[in-house]
Amino acid sequence: MAFVLGITGSIACGKSLLCQHLVEAYGARHIDADRHVHTMYEPGKPAFDRIVAQFGNTVVGTDGFIDRKALGDIVFGKPDLLAALRTAIGDIEGEFMRLLRELKDDPAPIAVFEAVRLFEGPYMEVCDAGWLVASEDETALTRLMSRKNFSREEAEQRMASAIHWTERAPKADLVLHNDSSVEEFLASVDDAIASALKDHQ
């Protein structure tokens, strides 16, 4: 039975880096909740038709799939439209709970569930621990501008739309700060996973 670890954090804090390290160094099974949601509205699935009905044919790309950038441009910063999108996609929470129960029985030593809204749903009922990856605002802004070629204003808009890590910290079993080098961050991950696995035995 796998140790199920929930990972969350704001944009550009290092969630994906942490998860990739656990996969490569520990053979962890990894599910990225955001990416999995995309599979729920592939062509031919009911959610595809509901999204097109809600937002129009302009959200369908030339490849026949939903153009996530076009869709994101429509709903970004608009809570009512984001809520409408979640409704159109379907039972996201139920799908994630199904995945988590599968992860619990995975033969891998560690199963990682990476989700932005980890603490906003019932997912910690299944997860053995929930970790929050955090960065100072200026660190995250610099990363966003570098990775996405954003202007400072664009990066600040993305940051402002996300829940700040300090609001989620009280719900986390562990807060991992990622403001120094990659090596230092991954060393702290190694220490944390060693301690978590020891306690889980």
Side-chain angles (χ1 to χ4, degrees):
M1 185 175 287
F3 172 72
V4 181
L5 176 62
I7 298 292
T8 193
S10 297
I11 191 168
C13 64
K15 298 186 301 296
S16 297
L17 175 63
L18 185 155
C19 293
Q20 180 184 353
H21 179 66
L22 293 180
V23 170
E24 293 176 354
Y26 298 91
R29 166 98 185 275
H30 174 224
I31 290 180
D32 182 332
D34 286 347
R35 289 186 181 180
H36 187 79
V37 166
H38 303 157
T39 70
M40 295 176 67
Y41 53 82
E42 291 173 343
K45 295 186 177 179
F48 179 91
D49 295 330
R50 291 195 296 263
I51 289 173
V52 174
Q54 176 75 42
F55 297 101
N57 287 317
T58 57
V59 299
V60 181
T62 55
D63 59 359
F65 285 74
I66 298 293
D67 182 334
R68 296 197 301 273
K69 185 181 185 306
L71 186 60
D73 289 344
I74 293 171
V75 303
F76 178 73
K78 301 180 179 70
D80 54 334
L81 293 182
L82 270 171
L85 173 59
R86 290 195 186 101
T87 299
I89 291 171
D91 186 10
I92 298 171
E93 191 173 282
E95 175 68 3
F96 286 170
M97 289 299 282
R98 182 188 67 79
L99 287 172
L100 276 167
R101 292 188 186 99
E102 283 185 4
L103 285 178
K104 199 76 173 173
D105 295 325
D106 198 283
I110 305 166
V112 183
F113 179 67
E114 179 185 356
V116 172
R117 297 174 61 81
L118 178 69
F119 299 136
E120 284 70 46
Y123 314 123
M124 290 307 300
E125 294 173 13
V126 182
C127 292
D128 293 301
W131 291 0
L132 173 68
V133 186
S135 291
E136 295 302 325
D137 291 351
E138 193 60 37
T139 305
L141 280 169
T142 301
R143 288 182 187 142
L144 262 182
M145 289 187 287
S146 174
R147 292 177 193 169
K148 303 286 188 180
N149 200 26
F150 284 162
S151 67
R152 187 174 184 87
E153 182 181 4
E154 288 172 322
E156 287 175 343
Q157 285 177 343
R158 294 297 192 281
M159 293 275 292
S161 71
I163 298 173
H164 199 269
W165 71 266
T166 53
E167 293 182 42
R168 287 192 167 116
K171 298 177 182 178
D173 294 299
L174 177 68
V175 180
L176 285 162
H177 292 274
N178 181 22
D179 292 290
S180 53
S181 69
V182 170
E183 291 76 18
E184 287 179 273
F185 175 58
L186 295 183
S188 70
V189 171
D190 288 335
D191 289 342
I193 201 66
S195 177
L197 291 176
K198 182 179 178 182
D199 292 342
H200 183 64
Q201 289 176 349

